[in-house]
Amino acid sequence: MKRIPKKFWEVVKARYERMPENLKLVIGGYGSLSKKEILEHLERKDEVGKFLVRMQLEFFKVLREEAESYEKAFNNKA
Amino acid sequence: MRKLLITRPDHDDATFIISKWSQPIIDEAKKRGVKVLDLRGGKASREKFFQYLGNHNPKFLILNGHGEHNLIYGHKNEVLLKSEDGRRLREKIIYSIACDAARTLGARVVQNGAECFIGYYNKFVFFYDANKISRPLEDEKLKSFFRPTNMIPIGIVKKNLVKDAVEKARKEFGKEILKWRCSSDLAAPFMIQALLWDKISLRLIGNPNSRFE
């Protein structure tokens, strides 16, 4: 994805706003990040911010695939 | 005698945590009579690494530290290994948690004669509890990441085929994801996302039937 839609940035930011304060994230190569630093990267839409969006999108993709497989299994049974 | 070389830089939070979580691997290896060449802290330098490689000829290498697609760093981010060093790792089994290293470096060392390379195609990510940074082995969140990934070197030390060790690690990542999906902890959504990322990113390049003998 070359250009990340504004909506995605907002969704990811909204999620990280709910992150517990004591939790820290290590992204190899980018070091250890607090909640405040994560939100700053997402605000700046920089390289780290883009990585966080990619990680979130991968998660959504897996959820969608899972939902589709359940739907398929359900339809086969019906 | 079977020999294992491990690099353990520990100059920042991430490398300190990884270094501490390498201890169970070292303990298991020693228990099984494997000679462990432990390049910890300042000893995790390029010079020492190749010196130990030349003098002791270990078969199994565990390379901790930060990384890029074509590099693995040692202590204080000194370059420890480059993809051009491939020829010096012939017949080795290599496991690395360094980020992106499976992308170029892993493929290159295998092309140049390494038995296999097990590592992460993307950046390895993990969450930890900042209140437990001085006691990382007691942090349940870290346990969720490092227990699965440690199953690879521990499985290899136990003479499992590398493909079986990697498969066990993938299954363990899956179990951890499931555990956090059933959790009401506020950290759960973040844990699931990161565990899934690491699970997808794990790669085995080279001979899947390699064994550390």
Side-chain angles (χ1 to χ4, degrees):
Chain A
M1 185 181 295
K2 281 187 180 164
R3 195 168 178 279
I4 300 166
K6 194 180 166 199
K7 208 172 180 181
F8 285 174
W9 287 104
E10 286 167 6
V11 168
V12 177
K13 208 171 154 216
R15 281 182 71 92
Y16 277 101
E17 272 162 4
R18 296 176 60 117
M19 186 173 120
E21 298 288 343
N22 63 319
L23 209 56
K24 284 187 106 177
L25 170 64
V26 170
I27 307 174
Y30 296 138
S32 169
L33 303 170
S34 64
K35 176 178 175 176
K36 186 171 170 268
E37 288 164 331
I38 289 173
L39 292 173
E40 282 169 3
H41 283 294
L42 288 168
E43 192 62 45
R44 287 201 294 268
K45 298 186 171 72
D46 60 13
E47 203 183 332
V48 177
K50 282 179 191 160
F51 176 83
L52 293 165
V53 173
R54 261 182 67 209
M55 199 161 77
Q56 186 70 55
L57 287 176
E58 196 62 45
F59 176 57
F60 287 153
K61 203 171 104 187
V62 170
L63 285 186
R64 193 186 65 195
E65 284 166 2
E66 202 174 65
E68 282 170 358
S69 74
Y70 285 143
E71 197 182 347
K72 207 172 157 188
F74 181 77
N75 288 339
N76 283 346
K77 266 192 176 177
Chain B
M1 185 186 209
R2 296 193 299 156
K3 291 179 196 166
L4 174 168
L5 183 150
I6 181 167
T7 62
R8 292 202 287 163
D10 55 7
H11 55 278
D12 58 19
D13 281 0
T15 50
F16 171 74
I17 289 167
I18 296 168
S19 172
K20 286 283 177 194
W21 269 96
S22 295
Q23 195 57 50
I25 306 167
I26 293 172
D27 294 345
E28 184 65 37
K30 285 183 176 169
K31 204 172 90 185
R32 288 174 185 269
V34 175
K35 183 176 172 68
V36 178
L37 308 163
D38 186 7
L39 301 188
R40 190 176 183 180
K43 282 173 89 180
S45 68
R46 183 173 168 84
E47 189 192 345
K48 280 262 185 270
F49 174 67
F50 282 109
Q51 185 188 324
Y52 272 68
L53 213 58
N55 292 346
H56 300 274
N57 192 25
K59 166 88 176 165
F60 182 27
L61 310 178
I62 301 175
L63 306 178
N64 292 327
H66 294 296
E68 288 179 30
H69 70 100
N70 58 349
L71 294 171
I72 293 177
Y73 295 108
H75 191 62
K76 293 193 173 167
N77 294 339
E78 175 197 336
V79 174
L80 187 108
L81 188 69
K82 305 178 216 171
S83 50
E84 297 87 72
D85 296 322
R87 287 172 197 278
R88 302 172 80 173
L89 303 180
R90 280 193 177 133
E91 296 172 12
K92 309 289 183 202
I93 295 173
I94 305 151
Y95 163 73
S96 179
I97 209 166
C99 299
D100 302 318
R103 197 170 290 204
T104 305
L105 186 137
R108 186 73 70 87
V109 296
V110 169
Q111 277 166 12
N112 282 301
E115 275 271 321
C116 64
F117 184 96
I118 306 139
Y120 290 86
Y121 188 77
N122 278 308
K123 298 190 181 307
F124 185 77
V125 298
F126 58 87
F127 282 98
Y128 67 95
D129 185 340
N131 299 328
K132 292 184 179 165
I133 184 64
S134 59
R135 294 164 283 125
L137 293 172
E138 293 171 24
D139 184 339
E140 286 300 315
K141 292 176 179 76
L142 286 173
K143 202 177 277 182
S144 286
F145 293 94
F146 286 93
R147 210 171 45 189
T149 197
N150 273 1
M151 290 186 103
I152 300 165
I154 288 176
I156 292 171
V157 160
K158 288 180 177 174
K159 297 189 181 179
N160 292 167
L161 292 176
V162 291
K163 67 177 179 188
D164 293 340
V166 170
E167 199 45 43
K168 275 185 197 164
R170 285 208 178 98
K171 278 190 184 151
E172 198 62 26
F173 270 121
K175 280 186 197 167
E176 288 295 335
I177 291 166
L178 198 62
K179 185 184 96 184
W180 284 99
R181 283 178 90 156
C182 300
S183 166
S184 57
D185 192 314
L186 287 174
F190 303 98
M191 292 293 293
I192 296 164
Q193 188 187 324
L195 285 162
L196 193 67
W197 180 263
D198 291 337
K199 184 184 174 206
I200 293 170
S201 184
L202 181 60
R203 296 282 193 285
L204 162 59
I205 304 164
N207 180 7
N209 295 315
S210 306
R211 207 194 287 267
F212 177 34
E213 285 176 318

